[in-house]
Amino acid sequence: MIMILTLLPAESDAAKKLADLTSENSVLAAAVGKITDFTGTEEEEGEDVNVEEERGEQDAKQEKEEKESAVDIVLTDYNGEEADVQQEAQEKEADAETANVVSETTLTNVSDKKGSGNIIIYHTHATESYLPAASSNAHTTELASTVREAGETLKTQLEAHGFSVVHDMTLHDYPSYNKSYNRSLETVKKLCGAYGNKKLVIDFHRDAATSSGQGKTVTIDGKEVAAFCLVVGTQNSNYDTIRALADRITETANQMYPGFAKAVVEKPYKFNGYVSDAYILLEVGNNANTIDQVNAAMPYLANVFTEVVG
């Protein structure tokens, strides 16, 4: 518009009207100002774009870091379809790895204290279940047909032998399976600190069935009962001691009840075994065993433990 004004004769009527339209307070000037308000400067637009690009890069970076730092699978629904055995085995393997990086806090010396329990039972994977609960899912938060129910049966049998037993049923693997061993470590450290004169510290699990889908059983006194095995983490500072204890229990069990104990399994993890020289990771049966078979094994298991540590 400035160019048009310069081309028109200064005293012409057209030049005067156009000048009025473009004056500081004119409607046209106001409209031009409004357009400027919406568009902004190129510098301001560039800043907005850079901010959005930076946020996008930060979000992508964070998402990548979260994926790379993910250690395990989070189980949020224990009532879905039947658990995949291979997946569960992988979850246990990955979960056990977290036990390797746990700080080995020295336990308080409580040998001179009098506790009410010389045998401690707890469960890193407390939701592991047997049939019939395991027919729809290998985990359940309910008590029935789980390692916790079997732990209660073992507790009763051990108490009948004169032991004082504490059974902790905390769900360390629910709602998240991730880092179950880290959470159970805090529990077992507290239990070991509270109870002196410990004869056994038992992390009670069940195994996962193989592709054959068969339970682990043995016949004792004409009854079909669940067999068991012990798992030892080779990365523990007290490996030699807990391995010797596992061997002694396994050998004694098979002397008393041939075939009752399967071979000791070793894994390159800790499984929190360093918390006590009396520590065992016990696996009784698998998810293809019935809870009746597992409960039926508890009196014989109590007999074995009494023979070894009684």
Side-chain angles (χ1 to χ4, degrees):
M1 286 181 290
I2 294 173
M3 291 179 63
I4 296 172
L5 283 172
T6 58
L7 292 175
L8 292 172
E11 299 301 326
S12 67
D13 293 338
K16 291 179 180 180
K17 289 182 179 180
L18 188 56
D20 291 338
L21 287 172
T22 57
S23 65
E24 184 178 353
N25 298 320
S26 69
V27 175
L28 183 58
V32 171
K34 292 296 182 180
I35 294 173
T36 302
D37 290 344
F38 275 107
T39 59
T41 66
E42 289 184 8
E43 182 178 351
E44 290 171 342
E45 289 176 0
E47 289 177 356
D48 290 342
V49 171
N50 290 338
V51 169
E52 290 304 317
E53 288 178 350
E54 183 178 349
R55 287 176 180 171
E57 290 172 357
Q58 290 175 346
D59 290 345
K61 182 179 179 181
Q62 181 177 349
E63 182 178 358
K64 180 180 179 182
E65 289 176 350
E66 289 174 351
K67 288 181 179 179
E68 290 175 348
S69 64
V71 177
D72 210 341
I73 296 172
V74 177
L75 300 181
T76 57
D77 183 5
Y78 285 77
N79 298 312
E81 297 178 357
E82 183 175 358
D84 180 87
V85 172
Q86 184 176 2
Q87 177 178 316
E88 182 181 348
Q90 291 173 347
E91 288 166 356
K92 282 189 175 183
E93 291 285 324
D95 190 30
E97 290 180 6
T98 66
N100 284 340
V101 296
V102 174
S103 60
E104 297 189 23
T105 305
T106 303
L107 295 175
T108 304
N109 186 353
V110 294
S111 59
D112 58 342
K113 294 182 179 179
K114 301 297 181 183
S116 62
N118 4 40
I119 293 183
I120 294 169
I121 304 172
Y122 77 108
H123 310 272
T124 294
H125 298 144
T127 65
E128 291 177 328
S129 62
Y130 301 99
L131 295 174
S135 62
S136 60
N137 194 301
H139 297 266
T140 178
T141 56
E142 300 297 325
L143 175 62
S145 300
T146 65
V147 290
R148 285 166 287 136
E149 179 185 335
E152 278 293 281
T153 305
L154 178 59
K155 176 179 183 287
T156 299
Q157 294 297 321
L158 288 169
E159 288 173 338
H161 283 277
F163 292 107
S164 183
V165 184
V166 56
H167 180 204
D168 184 279
M169 292 191 281
T170 302
L171 303 184
H172 301 106
D173 58 338
Y174 181 85
S176 172
Y177 202 99
N178 187 32
K179 297 185 179 181
S180 301
Y181 277 99
N182 295 56
R183 288 188 288 277
S184 69
L185 173 62
E186 296 306 310
T187 294
V188 72
K189 281 165 56 179
K190 291 177 182 177
L191 292 170
C192 286
Y195 298 96
N197 189 28
K198 295 178 289 296
K199 298 296 183 69
L200 280 177
V201 178
I202 305 170
D203 189 359
F204 194 135
H205 293 249
R206 63 132 176 84
D207 200 0
T210 62
S211 57
S212 65
Q214 299 295 313
K216 295 194 295 186
T217 61
V218 62
T219 301
I220 302 177
D221 295 336
K223 293 180 289 187
E224 189 175 53
V225 307
F228 77 93
C229 75
L230 300 175
V231 180
V232 177
T234 61
Q235 299 301 307
N236 292 288
S237 57
N238 60 345
Y239 160 76
D240 290 338
T241 303
I242 60 177
R243 172 67 206 228
L245 175 59
D247 287 339
R248 190 159 68 252
I249 291 173
T250 298
E251 292 166 5
T252 301
N254 287 330
Q255 289 171 359
M256 297 174 67
Y257 312 108
F260 188 27
K262 304 300 181 184
V264 174
V265 176
E266 287 194 345
K267 294 287 185 179
Y269 307 121
K270 291 182 179 178
F271 299 116
N272 302 339
Y274 60 85
V275 299
S276 173
D277 287 344
Y279 183 95
I280 62 171
L281 194 160
L282 171 69
E283 288 190 343
V284 182
N286 58 40
N287 54 293
N289 282 101
T290 67
I291 187 61
D292 290 340
Q293 291 170 336
V294 175
N295 283 331
M298 294 304 101
Y300 303 108
L301 196 57
N303 292 342
V304 172
F305 290 157
T306 301
E307 183 68 21
V308 174
V309 302

